[in-house]
Amino acid sequence: MKVLSKAKLEAALNKLSDRNEVFVPMQKGQQSGYFTWKSFENGQDELMLDALNVYQSPKNAVLPQTEKMYSIKSQGVEVNIDQTYEDAHPTIIFGARGCDVKGIIAMDDVFLTRGYEDSFYKARRSGNTIIANACYEPGANCFCNAMEVNSLEPVGADVILRDAGDGYVWEVKSDKGEAVTALIADLLEEKEAKLPEVKPFIQKVDYSGVAEKLKSMFDHPLWDKLSQPCINCGMCTYVCPSCYCFDIQVKMWGEEGYRFRAWDSCMFEEYSREAGGGNPRGASKERFRQRFLHKLEFFKERYGTPLCTGCGRCIIVCPTDINIVRIIDAVKEAEINA
Amino acid sequence: MPDQDHKCTCSEQPLVPTIVEVIDIIDRTPDVKSFFVRNVDGNGVPFQVAPGQCGMVSHLPIGEAMISCTWQEEQEYLEFAIKRVGLLTDELHQIEVGQKIGVRGPYGNGFPVDACKGRDMVFIAGGIGLAPLRSFIKYCFKNRADYGKITILYGSRSKADLCFKEELFELWPQETNTEVFVTIDNAQADWDGHVGFVPSYMEEVNPSSQGAIAVVCGPPIMIKFVLQSLEKMGYNDDQVITTLEMRMKCGIGKCGRCNIGSEFICLDGPVYYLKQLRDLPPEW
């Protein structure tokens, strides 16, 4: 098997970065997330390939937090769009865990299927290669196995890394994977490596039948109780590897400007507020319910898979201790017709 | 319902508007104006719109909003009737003929004009809700032989707030086998027509449910009571059609906010049979 020795990891990242923007999990000051290898500062930043989940997911690489869409020139009655900003520059997400890979695959369903291809997403994704990092020891908040993710064999990865102690087993999974492998072929060694033992999941979550059961629970009183602590801060949607909702806004300086999109959140009142003032989800509970139904029911109905990937980030960041695992449990236990 | 076979005729950059010219503007009411747009080279329209479909209308320096296309006149123009309700529409109401704006589309499923052929049609609208229905009404008149009796029932707050007055009072009543009923919410000195709300007036007029299709659009509260009245009058859930509105940003089922259950109203809707809506969470 092909192995990338850990001693050659930095050399590999350097080499990959010659032609690609390489997003790597790292601790950077107070933040952890996927940042570009070129921005890595020796002695200050810390590579986080061993961590299960850094604070921010790598979705930024394919759906930037803000993204320019097109230019606007407006002079009197004349208006022009001179330029659109589809960006297909080559990027690599290096070391993504299965849950985060699934987040991107779910976004592929949204942005690239059902009649319309989003040209901005399509461009970024066409230039993007995913090098996944298989998980052998789930963390305290991990439950991807319950959400149809195989963290040992992440579907959609172009290369899968397996941490074998002093090196990573390097498994090529696609043509894109072949192409990036060729860039560092001289750093890979052909040898045997012992893979780690697969450890059990600590979180026990049973999602089976939940999507189907939720279909008849829209008006169930459990939403009142479950949503009570929620302050609609939106942190869960911000750190979520699969939350993809976006807003489109404009920035003008006099006659020139551009339209851009930015991550949005179903937690915010403005998200669904109509110009006339009406809002189908004006109440906090309604927004809370929307988020969990989208994750656990609606997305599965539409695309055949849940939109929660079991990464556990929202459990960690929620300031009011709302826990999606407990919500799944509550749905499981709920009596219908209550 | 999610349509996996949706055949896309849109551009390869569905989120980027096409620039068009506003060739005419008509005041419909004190707060509704019709904007007529055509390609900037004076030749044709930016896209073909079926009755009930929408366009994302963009005043580029300000913003964009999903607006039902109230009529496409062949390759001459697209007409959008827009009520002044917010930031973008305030600005749109300031523009003058000759202004270039952006549009993208067509979006949504549109009315089932073929499935309704041979049926008596009952159109029930309130306020600006007549704008989307008008595309279907005009389509019926254009293809008059394809449809049975046409009943149009329309109401607004006051006489001044009635949209498309010329059509309501002069053109449509002259069409064959057509009746038009108009009401306003409160009596006023220069009005000798019916006074009262749409649902009760509809029960009074009582258009037969036999073989008929009712198409409803208006403020949510009106829709709610009209649906109750139609049920009383013997209309089944597969004889009632409505068109929904939700806040929209992308128009192509991506940005998230216009969902009701697993449906995206911009893409899978906005037109639904009541029968379909009964299967969705009650957020409409």
Side-chain angles (χ1 to χ4, degrees), chain A residues 70 72 74 77-79 84 86 110 113 115-117 119 244-247 250 259 264 270-271 273 275 281 290 298 301-302, chain B residues 6 8 10 12-15 17 58 60-62 64 85 99-100 247 249 254-257 259 261-262 267-268 281-283:
Chain A
Y70 51 85
I72 296 171
S74 171
V77 298
E78 296 302 322
V79 56
T84 66
E86 281 90 353
V110 172
T113 74
Y116 291 89
E117 290 184 334
S119 61
Y244 59 81
C245 288
F246 62 87
D247 188 12
V250 68
R259 200 156 281 179
D264 204 346
E270 275 178 68
Y271 171 80
R273 190 209 299 151
R281 297 192 274 267
Q290 161 63 21
F298 302 154
E301 277 172 21
R302 194 173 179 88
Chain B
H6 171 82
C8 179
C10 59
E12 289 183 358
Q13 295 175 306
L15 295 176
S58 194
L60 277 107
I62 309 295
E64 51 186 4
V85 289
Q99 175 71 46
K100 309 290 197 301
R247 186 172 199 176
K249 288 280 181 172
K254 316 292 190 203
C255 80
R257 75 206 66 235
N259 81 295
S262 61
L267 178 66
D268 308 314
E283 276 190 328

Short mmCIF file of all heavy atoms in Angstrom, two decimals, chain A residues 70 72 74 77-79 84 86 110 113 115-117 119 244-247 250 259 264 270-271 273 275 281 290 298 301-302, chain B residues 6 8 10 12-15 17 58 60-62 64 85 99-100 247 249 254-257 259 261-262 267-268 281-283:
data_model
loop_
_atom_site.label_atom_id
_atom_site.label_comp_id
_atom_site.label_asym_id
_atom_site.label_seq_id
_atom_site.Cartn_x
_atom_site.Cartn_y
_atom_site.Cartn_z
N TYR A 70 -21.44 38.82 -8.81
CA TYR A 70 -21.24 39.56 -10.06
C TYR A 70 -21.13 41.05 -9.79
O TYR A 70 -21.62 41.54 -8.77
CB TYR A 70 -22.35 39.27 -11.08
CG TYR A 70 -23.76 39.42 -10.57
CD1 TYR A 70 -24.40 40.66 -10.56
CD2 TYR A 70 -24.46 38.31 -10.09
CE1 TYR A 70 -25.70 40.79 -10.09
CE2 TYR A 70 -25.76 38.44 -9.62
CZ TYR A 70 -26.37 39.69 -9.62
OH TYR A 70 -27.65 39.81 -9.15
N ILE A 72 -21.72 45.12 -10.49
CA ILE A 72 -22.84 45.97 -10.89
C ILE A 72 -22.30 47.37 -11.18
O ILE A 72 -21.53 47.92 -10.39
CB ILE A 72 -23.90 46.07 -9.77
CG1 ILE A 72 -24.53 44.71 -9.49
CG2 ILE A 72 -24.99 47.09 -10.13
CD1 ILE A 72 -25.43 44.67 -8.27
N SER A 74 -24.03 51.03 -12.20
CA SER A 74 -25.34 51.65 -12.30
C SER A 74 -25.17 53.16 -12.45
O SER A 74 -24.71 53.85 -11.55
CB SER A 74 -26.13 51.33 -11.02
OG SER A 74 -27.32 52.07 -10.99
N VAL A 77 -30.14 55.61 -15.87
CA VAL A 77 -31.02 54.50 -16.25
C VAL A 77 -30.21 53.29 -16.72
O VAL A 77 -30.77 52.21 -16.93
CB VAL A 77 -32.02 54.90 -17.37
CG1 VAL A 77 -32.93 56.01 -16.89
CG2 VAL A 77 -31.30 55.26 -18.66
N GLU A 78 -28.92 53.46 -16.90
CA GLU A 78 -28.11 52.34 -17.40
C GLU A 78 -27.61 51.47 -16.26
O GLU A 78 -27.24 51.98 -15.20
CB GLU A 78 -26.89 52.87 -18.19
CG GLU A 78 -27.27 53.63 -19.45
CD GLU A 78 -28.12 52.81 -20.42
OE1 GLU A 78 -27.88 51.60 -20.56
OE2 GLU A 78 -29.07 53.39 -21.01
N VAL A 79 -27.60 50.19 -16.50
CA VAL A 79 -27.05 49.28 -15.50
C VAL A 79 -26.37 48.13 -16.23
O VAL A 79 -26.84 47.70 -17.29
CB VAL A 79 -28.14 48.80 -14.50
CG1 VAL A 79 -29.29 48.16 -15.21
CG2 VAL A 79 -27.57 47.84 -13.48
N THR A 84 -18.84 38.18 -13.89
CA THR A 84 -19.32 37.27 -12.86
C THR A 84 -18.10 36.57 -12.27
O THR A 84 -17.05 36.52 -12.91
CB THR A 84 -20.33 36.23 -13.40
OG1 THR A 84 -19.67 35.36 -14.31
CG2 THR A 84 -21.50 36.92 -14.09
N GLU A 86 -17.45 33.32 -10.94
CA GLU A 86 -17.28 31.88 -10.71
C GLU A 86 -15.79 31.60 -10.54
O GLU A 86 -14.97 32.10 -11.32
CB GLU A 86 -17.81 31.06 -11.90
CG GLU A 86 -19.32 30.91 -11.92
CD GLU A 86 -20.02 32.01 -12.68
OE1 GLU A 86 -19.33 32.98 -13.10
OE2 GLU A 86 -21.25 31.91 -12.87
N VAL A 110 -27.76 19.48 -3.20
CA VAL A 110 -28.53 20.73 -3.23
C VAL A 110 -28.15 21.57 -4.44
O VAL A 110 -29.01 21.99 -5.22
CB VAL A 110 -28.29 21.54 -1.94
CG1 VAL A 110 -28.94 22.93 -2.04
CG2 VAL A 110 -28.83 20.79 -0.73
N THR A 113 -28.14 19.40 -8.30
CA THR A 113 -29.21 18.55 -8.82
C THR A 113 -30.54 19.29 -8.76
O THR A 113 -30.62 20.41 -8.30
CB THR A 113 -29.34 17.22 -8.05
OG1 THR A 113 -29.94 17.44 -6.78
CG2 THR A 113 -27.99 16.55 -7.85
N GLY A 115 -32.67 20.10 -11.32
CA GLY A 115 -33.01 21.05 -12.37
C GLY A 115 -32.04 22.18 -12.60
O GLY A 115 -31.81 22.57 -13.72
N TYR A 116 -31.48 22.71 -11.53
CA TYR A 116 -30.59 23.85 -11.70
C TYR A 116 -29.23 23.55 -11.09
O TYR A 116 -29.14 23.03 -9.98
CB TYR A 116 -31.14 25.09 -10.99
CG TYR A 116 -32.38 25.66 -11.61
CD1 TYR A 116 -33.63 25.23 -11.22
CD2 TYR A 116 -32.29 26.65 -12.60
CE1 TYR A 116 -34.78 25.76 -11.78
CE2 TYR A 116 -33.45 27.19 -13.16
CZ TYR A 116 -34.69 26.74 -12.75
OH TYR A 116 -35.82 27.27 -13.31
N GLU A 117 -28.19 23.88 -11.83
CA GLU A 117 -26.85 23.82 -11.27
C GLU A 117 -26.43 25.24 -10.90
O GLU A 117 -26.50 26.14 -11.73
CB GLU A 117 -25.87 23.25 -12.30
CG GLU A 117 -26.09 21.78 -12.56
CD GLU A 117 -25.06 21.21 -13.51
OE1 GLU A 117 -24.50 21.97 -14.34
OE2 GLU A 117 -24.81 20.00 -13.45
N SER A 119 -24.00 27.89 -10.63
CA SER A 119 -22.72 28.01 -11.36
C SER A 119 -21.56 28.36 -10.43
O SER A 119 -20.41 27.98 -10.71
CB SER A 119 -22.85 29.05 -12.47
OG SER A 119 -23.18 30.32 -11.95
N TYR A 244 -26.34 24.92 4.55
CA TYR A 244 -25.91 25.58 3.32
C TYR A 244 -26.72 26.83 2.99
O TYR A 244 -26.49 27.47 1.98
CB TYR A 244 -26.03 24.59 2.15
CG TYR A 244 -27.43 24.09 1.96
CD1 TYR A 244 -28.37 24.87 1.28
CD2 TYR A 244 -27.85 22.88 2.48
CE1 TYR A 244 -29.68 24.45 1.13
CE2 TYR A 244 -29.16 22.45 2.34
CZ TYR A 244 -30.07 23.23 1.66
OH TYR A 244 -31.36 22.82 1.53
N CYS A 245 -27.75 27.16 3.80
CA CYS A 245 -28.63 28.27 3.43
C CYS A 245 -27.84 29.56 3.23
O CYS A 245 -26.90 29.83 3.97
CB CYS A 245 -29.68 28.50 4.52
SG CYS A 245 -30.90 27.19 4.55
N PHE A 246 -28.22 30.29 2.22
CA PHE A 246 -27.48 31.53 1.96
C PHE A 246 -28.43 32.68 1.66
O PHE A 246 -29.58 32.49 1.29
CB PHE A 246 -26.47 31.34 0.82
CG PHE A 246 -27.07 30.98 -0.51
CD1 PHE A 246 -27.50 31.98 -1.39
CD2 PHE A 246 -27.20 29.66 -0.90
CE1 PHE A 246 -28.05 31.66 -2.63
CE2 PHE A 246 -27.76 29.33 -2.14
CZ PHE A 246 -28.18 30.32 -3.00
N ASP A 247 -27.89 33.87 1.85
CA ASP A 247 -28.58 35.11 1.57
C ASP A 247 -27.88 35.74 0.37
O ASP A 247 -26.71 35.46 0.13
CB ASP A 247 -28.45 36.01 2.81
CG ASP A 247 -29.31 37.26 2.70
OD1 ASP A 247 -30.17 37.33 1.81
OD2 ASP A 247 -29.10 38.18 3.52
N VAL A 250 -26.33 43.02 -1.63
CA VAL A 250 -25.61 43.88 -2.57
C VAL A 250 -24.75 44.88 -1.80
O VAL A 250 -25.09 45.27 -0.67
CB VAL A 250 -26.62 44.59 -3.50
CG1 VAL A 250 -27.45 45.61 -2.76
CG2 VAL A 250 -25.95 45.22 -4.70
N ARG A 259 -22.89 42.13 -6.26
CA ARG A 259 -23.82 41.33 -5.48
C ARG A 259 -23.03 40.14 -4.95
O ARG A 259 -22.15 39.61 -5.62
CB ARG A 259 -24.99 40.87 -6.35
CG ARG A 259 -26.18 40.48 -5.49
CD ARG A 259 -27.49 40.59 -6.25
NE ARG A 259 -27.96 41.97 -6.33
CZ ARG A 259 -29.06 42.34 -6.93
NH1 ARG A 259 -29.82 41.45 -7.51
NH2 ARG A 259 -29.41 43.61 -6.97
N ASP A 264 -26.45 32.15 5.61
CA ASP A 264 -27.59 32.67 6.36
C ASP A 264 -27.99 31.60 7.36
O ASP A 264 -27.41 30.51 7.39
CB ASP A 264 -28.74 32.98 5.39
CG ASP A 264 -29.70 34.03 5.95
OD1 ASP A 264 -29.64 34.31 7.16
OD2 ASP A 264 -30.53 34.54 5.18
N GLU A 270 -35.31 37.32 10.37
CA GLU A 270 -35.34 37.94 9.04
C GLU A 270 -35.27 36.93 7.90
O GLU A 270 -35.63 37.23 6.77
CB GLU A 270 -34.15 38.89 8.87
CG GLU A 270 -34.38 40.26 9.40
CD GLU A 270 -33.12 41.10 9.23
OE1 GLU A 270 -32.77 41.40 8.08
OE2 GLU A 270 -32.49 41.40 10.25
N TYR A 271 -34.77 35.77 8.21
CA TYR A 271 -34.53 34.74 7.19
C TYR A 271 -35.78 34.46 6.36
O TYR A 271 -35.71 34.35 5.14
CB TYR A 271 -34.05 33.49 7.92
CG TYR A 271 -33.92 32.23 7.13
CD1 TYR A 271 -32.81 32.01 6.31
CD2 TYR A 271 -34.88 31.22 7.22
CE1 TYR A 271 -32.66 30.83 5.62
CE2 TYR A 271 -34.74 30.03 6.53
CZ TYR A 271 -33.64 29.84 5.73
OH TYR A 271 -33.51 28.66 5.04
N ARG A 273 -38.78 36.32 6.84
CA ARG A 273 -39.74 37.43 6.95
C ARG A 273 -39.99 38.04 5.57
O ARG A 273 -39.06 38.39 4.86
CB ARG A 273 -39.23 38.51 7.90
CG ARG A 273 -40.31 39.55 8.21
CD ARG A 273 -39.73 40.92 8.52
NE ARG A 273 -38.87 40.91 9.66
CZ ARG A 273 -37.83 41.74 9.82
NH1 ARG A 273 -37.55 42.63 8.89
NH2 ARG A 273 -37.10 41.67 10.90
N ALA A 275 -41.61 40.79 2.71
CA ALA A 275 -41.57 42.25 2.61
C ALA A 275 -42.80 42.88 3.26
O ALA A 275 -42.71 43.93 3.88
CB ALA A 275 -41.49 42.67 1.14
N ARG A 281 -42.42 31.74 9.95
CA ARG A 281 -41.66 31.22 11.09
C ARG A 281 -41.18 32.37 11.97
O ARG A 281 -39.99 32.54 12.23
CB ARG A 281 -40.48 30.37 10.59
CG ARG A 281 -40.95 29.13 9.83
CD ARG A 281 -39.88 28.12 9.57
NE ARG A 281 -39.11 28.39 8.36
CZ ARG A 281 -39.39 27.89 7.16
NH1 ARG A 281 -40.43 27.09 6.99
NH2 ARG A 281 -38.63 28.16 6.12
N GLN A 290 -38.12 24.08 12.41
CA GLN A 290 -37.69 24.05 11.02
C GLN A 290 -36.29 23.46 10.89
O GLN A 290 -36.03 22.62 10.04
CB GLN A 290 -37.72 25.47 10.43
CG GLN A 290 -36.89 25.68 9.16
CD GLN A 290 -37.34 24.86 7.97
OE1 GLN A 290 -38.47 24.39 7.91
NE2 GLN A 290 -36.44 24.65 7.03
N PHE A 298 -37.06 16.59 6.40
CA PHE A 298 -37.31 17.15 5.07
C PHE A 298 -36.22 16.78 4.07
O PHE A 298 -36.50 16.45 2.92
CB PHE A 298 -37.45 18.68 5.12
CG PHE A 298 -38.54 19.18 6.02
CD1 PHE A 298 -38.45 20.46 6.59
CD2 PHE A 298 -39.66 18.42 6.31
CE1 PHE A 298 -39.44 20.96 7.41
CE2 PHE A 298 -40.66 18.91 7.14
CZ PHE A 298 -40.55 20.19 7.69
N GLU A 301 -36.47 13.29 2.96
CA GLU A 301 -37.58 13.09 2.02
C GLU A 301 -37.19 13.51 0.61
O GLU A 301 -37.55 12.88 -0.37
CB GLU A 301 -38.80 13.92 2.45
CG GLU A 301 -39.65 13.26 3.51
CD GLU A 301 -40.72 14.19 4.06
OE1 GLU A 301 -41.09 15.18 3.38
OE2 GLU A 301 -41.16 13.93 5.18
N ARG A 302 -36.45 14.61 0.53
CA ARG A 302 -36.13 15.16 -0.78
C ARG A 302 -34.92 14.49 -1.43
O ARG A 302 -34.91 14.26 -2.62
CB ARG A 302 -35.88 16.67 -0.64
CG ARG A 302 -35.88 17.41 -1.96
CD ARG A 302 -35.80 18.91 -1.74
NE ARG A 302 -35.78 19.62 -3.00
CZ ARG A 302 -36.88 20.02 -3.65
NH1 ARG A 302 -38.05 19.79 -3.14
NH2 ARG A 302 -36.77 20.66 -4.81
N HIS B 6 -37.20 17.68 -13.70
CA HIS B 6 -37.33 19.08 -14.11
C HIS B 6 -36.35 19.37 -15.24
O HIS B 6 -35.15 19.25 -15.09
CB HIS B 6 -37.04 19.97 -12.91
CG HIS B 6 -36.93 21.41 -13.25
ND1 HIS B 6 -38.02 22.23 -13.39
CD2 HIS B 6 -35.84 22.20 -13.47
CE1 HIS B 6 -37.61 23.45 -13.68
NE2 HIS B 6 -36.30 23.46 -13.74
N CYS B 8 -34.39 21.72 -17.41
CA CYS B 8 -33.94 23.08 -17.21
C CYS B 8 -33.73 23.79 -18.54
O CYS B 8 -33.01 23.31 -19.39
CB CYS B 8 -32.64 23.05 -16.43
SG CYS B 8 -31.98 24.65 -16.14
N CYS B 10 -33.04 27.10 -18.29
CA CYS B 10 -32.49 28.36 -17.81
C CYS B 10 -31.06 28.51 -18.30
O CYS B 10 -30.50 27.62 -18.89
CB CYS B 10 -32.52 28.37 -16.30
SG CYS B 10 -31.58 27.00 -15.63
N GLU B 12 -26.92 29.08 -18.02
CA GLU B 12 -25.92 28.34 -17.26
C GLU B 12 -25.52 29.09 -16.01
O GLU B 12 -24.77 28.58 -15.19
CB GLU B 12 -24.72 28.04 -18.15
CG GLU B 12 -25.09 26.99 -19.18
CD GLU B 12 -23.96 26.56 -20.05
OE1 GLU B 12 -22.84 27.12 -19.89
OE2 GLU B 12 -24.18 25.68 -20.89
N GLN B 13 -26.00 30.32 -15.88
CA GLN B 13 -25.74 31.09 -14.66
C GLN B 13 -27.08 31.52 -14.09
O GLN B 13 -27.47 32.69 -14.21
CB GLN B 13 -24.89 32.31 -14.98
CG GLN B 13 -23.49 31.97 -15.47
CD GLN B 13 -22.74 33.21 -15.90
OE1 GLN B 13 -23.22 33.99 -16.72
NE2 GLN B 13 -21.57 33.40 -15.33
N PRO B 14 -27.79 30.56 -13.48
CA PRO B 14 -29.19 30.87 -13.11
C PRO B 14 -29.33 31.98 -12.08
O PRO B 14 -30.42 32.53 -11.95
CB PRO B 14 -29.70 29.53 -12.57
CG PRO B 14 -28.50 28.75 -12.22
CD PRO B 14 -27.41 29.19 -13.15
N LEU B 15 -28.27 32.33 -11.37
CA LEU B 15 -28.41 33.39 -10.35
C LEU B 15 -28.01 34.77 -10.86
O LEU B 15 -28.07 35.75 -10.13
CB LEU B 15 -27.59 33.04 -9.10
CG LEU B 15 -28.06 31.79 -8.35
CD1 LEU B 15 -27.14 31.46 -7.18
CD2 LEU B 15 -29.49 31.95 -7.84
N PRO B 17 -28.79 37.89 -13.24
CA PRO B 17 -29.92 38.44 -13.99
C PRO B 17 -29.55 38.85 -15.42
O PRO B 17 -28.39 39.11 -15.72
CB PRO B 17 -30.32 39.69 -13.20
CG PRO B 17 -29.47 39.75 -12.00
CD PRO B 17 -28.34 38.79 -12.17
N SER B 58 -35.03 42.53 -10.37
CA SER B 58 -33.84 43.03 -9.70
C SER B 58 -33.60 44.49 -10.04
O SER B 58 -33.40 44.83 -11.21
CB SER B 58 -32.67 42.16 -10.22
OG SER B 58 -31.54 42.32 -9.45
N LEU B 60 -30.86 46.58 -9.62
CA LEU B 60 -29.54 46.05 -9.26
C LEU B 60 -28.85 46.69 -8.07
O LEU B 60 -28.30 45.98 -7.24
CB LEU B 60 -28.63 45.96 -10.49
CG LEU B 60 -28.95 44.66 -11.23
CD1 LEU B 60 -29.69 44.92 -12.49
CD2 LEU B 60 -27.72 43.82 -11.43
N PRO B 61 -28.87 48.02 -7.94
CA PRO B 61 -28.15 48.58 -6.78
C PRO B 61 -28.87 48.33 -5.45
O PRO B 61 -28.30 48.59 -4.40
CB PRO B 61 -28.13 50.09 -7.07
CG PRO B 61 -28.61 50.26 -8.47
CD PRO B 61 -29.40 49.05 -8.82
N ILE B 62 -30.11 47.85 -5.49
CA ILE B 62 -30.90 47.72 -4.26
C ILE B 62 -31.11 46.27 -3.84
O ILE B 62 -30.77 45.86 -2.73
CB ILE B 62 -32.30 48.38 -4.43
CG1 ILE B 62 -32.17 49.80 -4.97
CG2 ILE B 62 -33.08 48.33 -3.12
CD1 ILE B 62 -31.48 50.77 -4.04
N GLU B 64 -33.34 42.26 -5.05
CA GLU B 64 -34.22 41.59 -5.99
C GLU B 64 -35.32 40.87 -5.23
O GLU B 64 -35.17 40.54 -4.06
CB GLU B 64 -33.44 40.63 -6.91
CG GLU B 64 -32.53 39.66 -6.21
CD GLU B 64 -31.67 38.83 -7.17
OE1 GLU B 64 -31.70 39.03 -8.39
OE2 GLU B 64 -30.97 37.93 -6.67
N VAL B 85 -44.32 47.60 -0.94
CA VAL B 85 -44.43 47.08 0.43
C VAL B 85 -43.13 47.14 1.22
O VAL B 85 -43.14 46.93 2.43
CB VAL B 85 -44.90 45.60 0.46
CG1 VAL B 85 -46.35 45.47 0.07
CG2 VAL B 85 -44.02 44.72 -0.40
N GLN B 99 -35.54 52.97 -17.68
CA GLN B 99 -34.62 52.41 -16.70
C GLN B 99 -34.29 50.95 -17.05
O GLN B 99 -35.17 50.19 -17.45
CB GLN B 99 -35.26 52.45 -15.30
CG GLN B 99 -34.45 51.79 -14.20
CD GLN B 99 -33.21 52.57 -13.82
OE1 GLN B 99 -33.26 53.79 -13.63
NE2 GLN B 99 -32.09 51.86 -13.74
N LYS B 100 -33.02 50.59 -16.90
CA LYS B 100 -32.63 49.19 -17.07
C LYS B 100 -32.70 48.50 -15.71
O LYS B 100 -32.21 49.05 -14.71
CB LYS B 100 -31.20 49.07 -17.61
CG LYS B 100 -30.93 49.92 -18.86
CD LYS B 100 -31.65 49.39 -20.08
CE LYS B 100 -31.07 49.95 -21.36
NZ LYS B 100 -31.10 51.42 -21.48
N ARG B 247 -40.82 34.13 1.42
CA ARG B 247 -39.63 34.90 1.09
C ARG B 247 -38.69 34.01 0.27
O ARG B 247 -38.50 32.85 0.59
CB ARG B 247 -38.92 35.35 2.36
CG ARG B 247 -37.77 36.26 2.03
CD ARG B 247 -37.15 36.88 3.25
NE ARG B 247 -36.39 38.04 2.83
CZ ARG B 247 -35.78 38.87 3.66
NH1 ARG B 247 -35.85 38.67 4.96
NH2 ARG B 247 -35.12 39.90 3.21
N LYS B 249 -34.88 33.98 -2.14
CA LYS B 249 -33.65 34.67 -2.52
C LYS B 249 -33.10 34.14 -3.83
O LYS B 249 -32.70 34.90 -4.68
CB LYS B 249 -32.59 34.52 -1.42
CG LYS B 249 -32.87 35.31 -0.16
CD LYS B 249 -32.48 36.77 -0.33
CE LYS B 249 -32.76 37.55 0.95
NZ LYS B 249 -32.21 38.92 0.86
N LYS B 254 -32.30 26.43 -3.85
CA LYS B 254 -31.00 26.23 -3.21
C LYS B 254 -30.84 26.96 -1.88
O LYS B 254 -30.22 26.45 -0.96
CB LYS B 254 -29.85 26.70 -4.13
CG LYS B 254 -29.94 26.31 -5.59
CD LYS B 254 -29.79 24.82 -5.81
CE LYS B 254 -29.65 24.49 -7.30
NZ LYS B 254 -30.03 23.09 -7.58
N CYS B 255 -31.36 28.18 -1.78
CA CYS B 255 -30.97 29.05 -0.66
C CYS B 255 -31.67 28.70 0.64
O CYS B 255 -31.27 29.13 1.70
CB CYS B 255 -31.19 30.52 -1.00
SG CYS B 255 -32.88 31.09 -0.83
N GLY B 256 -32.74 27.90 0.55
CA GLY B 256 -33.30 27.31 1.77
C GLY B 256 -34.61 27.85 2.29
O GLY B 256 -35.45 27.10 2.74
N ARG B 257 -34.82 29.17 2.24
CA ARG B 257 -35.85 29.77 3.10
C ARG B 257 -37.30 29.55 2.69
O ARG B 257 -38.18 29.72 3.51
CB ARG B 257 -35.59 31.26 3.26
CG ARG B 257 -35.95 32.11 2.06
CD ARG B 257 -35.13 33.37 2.02
NE ARG B 257 -33.74 33.05 1.81
CZ ARG B 257 -32.75 33.45 2.61
NH1 ARG B 257 -33.01 34.18 3.65
NH2 ARG B 257 -31.51 33.11 2.34
N ASN B 259 -38.97 26.91 1.96
CA ASN B 259 -39.52 25.56 2.06
C ASN B 259 -40.80 25.51 2.89
O ASN B 259 -41.00 26.27 3.84
CB ASN B 259 -38.49 24.61 2.68
CG ASN B 259 -38.46 24.73 4.19
OD1 ASN B 259 -38.10 25.78 4.72
ND2 ASN B 259 -38.88 23.68 4.87
N GLY B 261 -42.18 22.07 4.51
CA GLY B 261 -41.80 20.66 4.51
C GLY B 261 -40.64 20.47 3.54
O GLY B 261 -39.72 21.30 3.49
N SER B 262 -40.68 19.42 2.74
CA SER B 262 -39.56 19.17 1.83
C SER B 262 -39.77 19.83 0.47
O SER B 262 -38.99 19.61 -0.45
CB SER B 262 -39.37 17.66 1.65
OG SER B 262 -40.53 17.09 1.11
N LEU B 267 -39.43 26.50 -6.54
CA LEU B 267 -39.09 25.53 -7.57
C LEU B 267 -40.24 24.54 -7.80
O LEU B 267 -40.65 24.29 -8.92
CB LEU B 267 -37.82 24.78 -7.14
CG LEU B 267 -37.28 23.68 -8.04
CD1 LEU B 267 -36.80 24.27 -9.36
CD2 LEU B 267 -36.10 22.98 -7.35
N ASP B 268 -40.74 23.95 -6.72
CA ASP B 268 -41.79 22.93 -6.82
C ASP B 268 -43.17 23.58 -6.92
O ASP B 268 -44.09 23.01 -7.46
CB ASP B 268 -41.75 22.01 -5.61
CG ASP B 268 -40.37 21.45 -5.35
OD1 ASP B 268 -39.75 20.99 -6.32
OD2 ASP B 268 -39.90 21.49 -4.21
N PRO B 281 -46.80 20.32 5.92
CA PRO B 281 -46.98 20.94 7.24
C PRO B 281 -47.77 22.25 7.09
O PRO B 281 -47.63 22.94 6.07
CB PRO B 281 -45.55 21.24 7.70
CG PRO B 281 -44.68 20.36 6.88
CD PRO B 281 -45.40 20.12 5.59
N PRO B 282 -48.58 22.59 8.08
CA PRO B 282 -49.46 23.77 7.95
C PRO B 282 -48.72 25.09 8.11
O PRO B 282 -49.06 25.90 8.95
CB PRO B 282 -50.47 23.55 9.08
CG PRO B 282 -49.73 22.73 10.10
CD PRO B 282 -48.78 21.87 9.34
N GLU B 283 -47.72 25.32 7.27
CA GLU B 283 -47.00 26.60 7.32
C GLU B 283 -47.40 27.53 6.18
O GLU B 283 -46.79 28.56 5.97
CB GLU B 283 -45.48 26.37 7.29
CG GLU B 283 -44.90 26.06 8.65
CD GLU B 283 -43.38 26.07 8.67
OE1 GLU B 283 -42.75 25.71 7.67
OE2 GLU B 283 -42.83 26.42 9.72
#
